[in-house]
Amino acid sequence: MEKCIDEGTLQAFLDNELDSEFAGRVARHVTGCESCAELLAVVEEETALVFGALEPEINTLVPTQRLWSRISETIRDDRPGIWQRLIGPVNAMFARMSMPAIAAFASVVVVAGSFVVLSTADAGREDLTVASSVRQRTMTIMTLPKPVEAAAPTEVAADEPEDAIRPVHANYERTAAPRTPRPVVAGSRFVRGEETYVKTIAQLEKTVDANKDSLLSPSARYSYEKNLAVVNDSIERMRREVRNNPKSDAARQILFNSYKDKIDLLNSLNERGELMASLR
Amino acid sequence: MVLTRSSHLRILVIVVLAGVSAFAQTPRTPAPTTTTTPKPKPAPVVLTVEAPVAIRLRNGDSTEKSVEVERRSTVSLCVTSGDVRVNGWDRAEVRALVDGGSLEFRVAERDPKTEKPSWIFVVGNAPVRAGVKNAGVKSDECLSGDLVELDIPRDAAITLRGSPSDTRVESVLKAKIENISGNIVVRNVTNGVFATTYEGGIMVERSRGPMTLTSASGGIVAFDVGQSETGDVFKARTNGGAVTLQSLEFRQVEASSITGGVVYRGKLLAGGQYSFGSQNGRVVLAVPANTVCRVNAWNGLGGFVSDVPLQNAVKNGQSTLGRLGNDDNGCSLSLKTTTGQLRISVGTSDK
């Protein structure tokens, strides 16, 4: 059985970055390999997600590069190949021939020239094959999932011909986010958007803790502490809920609402202090 | 025996002396205190007296002054102790009475045409500084007494801050009150109420205009209130009390409490935006059965119940989206709680 295809190659396949022959092989393999088909579906989903999220940026920032890529491809297609470049003058020469001797001489030259051309073409083909294999190899590097440090693209650019402009979206694939957007920031103890609230509250608490004994009567202090305890409890419970259910927008909204309540509570104490100070 | 005239005199003197002596030697019984009724004191001044102010003034410890002002003017004061009563009247005049203290008027601004004051400060004991305008009220100029009474034009606005016991404002254009403590009662205000108390409750009734009612620990009650202009907003927020709203005619309403409940009874107007929330209290809406509104209920770890069937309801974890009524042109209703209960029920009347 043929070896399974790695994710990077599948990514390149989806991005139409493989040459037609290799792409055909990949397609044939995927149709017969269930695990590769599943992997392809996953990669396709990721690609759709990433491009969906980055669509505005791609559409606004990159069109020039994409355009250049397309233009360079077009130029490459329109440029005459080495065979055409050689055949062209020969055809013109044949068109000017009128004498049999000249024609015979020309035939000899053509035959000899054909050998030269064929040998040149073989050498060129080898070069092209090498270039193609390099390109394929570098493609694989380019599309490795997520090694952001894959500064490989820069290296690739050095190896590639000048007119070969890499597809721009390859960059986005390398910097792709995890498969599903998570409100909990990786490696952080805060839910996304939570840190601002926490910092604000920390600042307010400094002032409040320093002044609450002098600002509040016993009954007001009781009421304040009770309310604070309720809000703190709500925040803790909703934080757990958000962590357990990171996709829930509702949970996050309610968590942030609890934070706002706490800020209002602390603010009310500070405002009370300001009013008292203005009356002294 | 014949008595001479001199003998008669001697006998008379003896008898008189003996009588005096006998009276002096008679033992006295102490008067029983239980039977002694104290002399009734003068009756205290009661509220039913026709002119209690005049009686108080006779005591000599109160001050009453008045000043002619523009009808559409602003009266500012700060009060450090005592109840405050502000009443609107039809005269273009401000009358101030401080029971148990003194007062002065300071003119901050005059109408350029009439030269009448359009903004005055009512200040306390501190000497009035001539020529000082727009200086505001210094902290040592706050009024202080048992009772502060103001009569101001109906078209005037009142601005009050301080720490009085209780504050009552009636029949004025606008009221802006910020108190450290004490309850606030506002009635018949025509163009806006902004009331804050850090220890106490707030009640507003029969008033119009934008309203912001904030209490740190007390309850808030508002009924028969509405907007005076399109776009007026009603906001009520308390940390520890309950919010009770009835017969509101606003299209933008926000009401919330942390530990208390929120009750709204009345219509939800088409095109309005309503937001009610409580951290762990109950949020209860009693609305007419024909209410048309988009509902977004964020119940968190609490619950959500609607006695009115929600159309196209979609429950997604801790939130429920749906619609009251079949029309799309209704209002927008947002309900939030973390651990409390949300409920929409059918009110008994349209009001």
Side-chain angles (χ1 to χ4, degrees):
Chain A
M1 185 181 171
E2 199 173 351
K3 194 181 172 186
C4 275
I5 302 167
D6 66 293
E7 192 176 340
T9 306
L10 287 173
Q11 188 72 66
F13 172 72
L14 286 172
D15 295 337
N16 291 324
E17 290 173 347
L18 302 180
D19 61 22
S20 57
E21 185 191 348
F22 192 34
R25 277 171 51 201
V26 170
R28 280 193 298 277
H29 176 83
V30 167
T31 51
C33 174
E34 195 175 338
S35 62
C36 285
E38 283 180 8
L39 185 58
L40 180 66
V42 170
V43 173
E44 191 173 14
E45 187 187 346
E46 284 181 353
T47 305
L49 194 70
V50 171
F51 273 85
L54 297 173
E55 190 177 12
E57 289 181 54
I58 292 172
N59 286 339
T60 55
L61 300 177
V62 187
T64 309
Q65 292 179 6
R66 298 179 91 197
L67 186 60
W68 271 115
S69 175
R70 216 175 299 153
I71 289 169
S72 66
E73 282 174 14
T74 308
I75 291 170
R76 202 163 37 202
D77 291 340
D78 289 343
R79 186 183 294 170
I82 189 166
W83 182 251
Q84 288 171 308
R85 269 182 273 171
L86 286 170
I87 289 296
V90 172
N91 285 341
M93 194 171 67
F94 272 116
R96 282 196 295 271
M97 282 181 193
S98 57
M99 295 175 68
I102 297 173
F105 175 73
S107 299
V108 172
V109 171
V110 166
V111 170
S114 298
F115 277 109
V116 173
V117 167
L118 284 174
S119 62
T120 309
D122 285 342
R125 202 175 298 144
E126 282 172 12
D127 290 343
L128 286 173
T129 308
V130 172
S132 173
S133 64
V134 169
R135 183 181 172 83
Q136 282 181 18
R137 194 168 61 244
T138 53
M139 283 290 192
T140 307
I141 295 168
M142 283 164 55
T143 52
L144 279 174
K146 220 158 135 125
V148 178
E149 65 281 3
T154 313
E155 296 168 23
V156 170
D159 293 342
E160 282 183 353
E162 281 180 15
D163 60 349
I165 298 174
R166 287 176 293 107
V168 172
H169 54 257
N171 292 329
Y172 293 104
E173 289 151 22
R174 279 195 304 280
T175 56
R179 192 175 304 170
T180 50
R182 292 179 187 172
V184 180
V185 179
S188 168
R189 59 195 179 94
F190 297 119
V191 174
R192 188 190 304 161
E194 185 186 14
E195 199 170 355
T196 313
Y197 288 108
V198 173
K199 284 181 179 173
T200 307
I201 287 170
Q203 286 175 346
L204 285 170
E205 277 179 335
K206 277 184 191 171
T207 317
V208 167
D209 288 344
N211 298 325
K212 62 184 178 185
D213 288 335
S214 59
L215 291 178
L216 296 173
S217 64
S219 64
R221 178 71 181 271
Y222 165 78
S223 176
Y224 165 78
E225 297 292 352
K226 186 181 77 171
N227 295 333
L228 191 64
V230 168
V231 174
N232 284 338
D233 179 59
S234 296
I235 288 172
E236 275 311 305
R237 293 174 72 172
M238 288 315 299
R239 285 192 82 201
R240 281 200 298 271
E241 192 65 25
V242 169
R243 288 189 181 278
N244 292 336
N245 191 4
K247 289 181 181 173
S248 172
D249 270 346
R252 271 201 303 156
Q253 289 299 324
I254 296 167
L255 171 64
F256 293 163
N257 196 50
S258 300
Y259 276 123
K260 285 176 192 167
D261 275 345
K262 185 167 181 179
I263 289 172
D264 284 345
L265 184 61
L266 296 169
N267 262 335
S268 72
L269 202 70
N270 281 337
E271 287 164 5
R272 177 191 177 117
E274 287 171 12
L275 178 61
M276 287 174 74
S278 73
L279 294 172
R280 284 193 191 114
Chain B
M1 180 174 136
V2 178
L3 294 176
T4 62
R5 192 171 184 175
S6 59
S7 301
H8 279 123
L9 284 173
R10 282 187 196 129
I11 291 169
L12 183 61
V13 169
I14 290 167
V15 168
V16 169
L17 288 174
V20 170
S21 172
F23 179 76
Q25 291 174 5
T26 305
R28 290 184 191 167
T29 54
T33 52
T34 52
T35 57
T36 305
T37 53
K39 191 177 180 182
K41 293 179 179 174
V45 177
V46 290
L47 292 178
T48 53
V49 173
E50 188 65 23
V53 172
I55 291 174
R56 285 285 195 174
L57 280 174
R58 282 187 214 116
N59 293 340
D61 56 356
S62 299
T63 310
E64 180 181 7
K65 292 188 177 181
S66 65
V67 60
E68 196 177 2
V69 296
E70 278 291 310
R71 284 193 180 276
R72 204 173 180 87
S73 56
T74 299
V75 180
S76 300
L77 69 156
C78 100
V79 179
T80 52
S81 67
D83 291 348
V84 177
R85 306 274 182 270
V86 179
N87 185 55
W89 63 358
D90 291 328
R91 297 159 72 170
E93 178 183 324
V94 172
R95 182 195 73 97
L97 164 78
V98 178
D99 185 8
S102 61
L103 71 92
E104 296 289 345
F105 292 119
R106 177 185 300 161
V107 178
E109 202 171 288
R110 289 182 186 275
D111 185 274
K113 291 180 182 173
T114 62
E115 284 296 313
K116 288 182 184 174
S118 58
W119 182 12
I120 65 166
F121 288 97
V122 186
V123 298
N125 292 313
V128 178
R129 290 163 289 180
V132 178
K133 290 189 175 181
N134 297 330
V137 180
K138 304 291 181 190
S139 58
D140 59 349
E141 295 174 337
C142 291
L143 296 170
S144 176
D146 297 330
L147 175 69
V148 176
E149 275 191 1
L150 285 177
D151 291 316
I152 68 174
R154 284 184 191 279
D155 291 334
I158 181 82
T159 303
L160 163 68
R161 66 189 176 92
S163 55
S165 302
D166 284 311
T167 303
R168 182 180 298 167
V169 177
E170 291 189 43
S171 307
V172 298
L173 181 74
K174 188 186 290 186
K176 186 176 179 185
I177 305 158
E178 189 181 15
N179 285 349
I180 292 173
S181 61
N183 299 314
I184 298 173
V185 177
V186 177
R187 292 193 186 96
N188 293 323
V189 171
T190 54
N191 198 25
V193 179
F194 304 89
T196 299
T197 178
Y198 296 99
E199 277 185 73
I202 301 172
M203 190 188 80
V204 181
E205 64 173 314
R206 297 194 301 277
S207 295
R208 293 289 180 270
M211 294 182 194
T212 303
L213 315 176
T214 310
S215 171
S217 60
I220 295 174
V221 177
F223 58 96
D224 193 11
V225 296
Q227 58 188 26
S228 61
E229 293 176 10
T230 305
D232 284 350
V233 180
F234 178 93
K235 289 184 183 179
R237 173 175 182 79
T238 175
N239 294 333
V243 180
T244 307
L245 311 174
Q246 183 165 348
S247 303
L248 264 69
E249 290 186 0
F250 283 91
R251 279 194 161 76
Q252 289 187 67
V253 177
E254 294 174 23
S256 63
S257 175
I258 292 179
T259 54
V262 176
V263 176
Y264 180 91
R265 179 177 287 272
K267 288 190 286 190
L268 298 175
L269 304 178
Q273 295 185 335
Y274 298 86
S275 174
F276 304 103
S278 174
Q279 282 292 327
N280 72 342
R282 284 167 57 89
V283 178
V284 179
L285 272 69
V287 296
N290 59 356
T291 298
V292 178
C293 213
R294 290 188 311 280
V295 180
N296 195 347
W298 312 75
N299 56 287
L301 304 173
F304 170 60
V305 177
S306 178
D307 298 338
V308 185
L310 283 184
Q311 310 290 326
N312 302 327
V314 178
K315 185 163 176 55
N316 182 13
Q318 291 142 333
S319 69
T320 304
L321 281 168
R323 211 173 55 201
L324 293 171
N326 291 317
D327 195 350
D328 282 336
N329 299 321
C331 63
S332 170
L333 172 63
S334 169
L335 306 173
K336 285 180 187 169
T337 186
T338 304
T339 56
Q341 298 291 319
L342 307 175
R343 184 181 196 101
I344 300 175
S345 62
V346 180
T348 52
S349 76
D350 265 7
K351 266 290 186 182

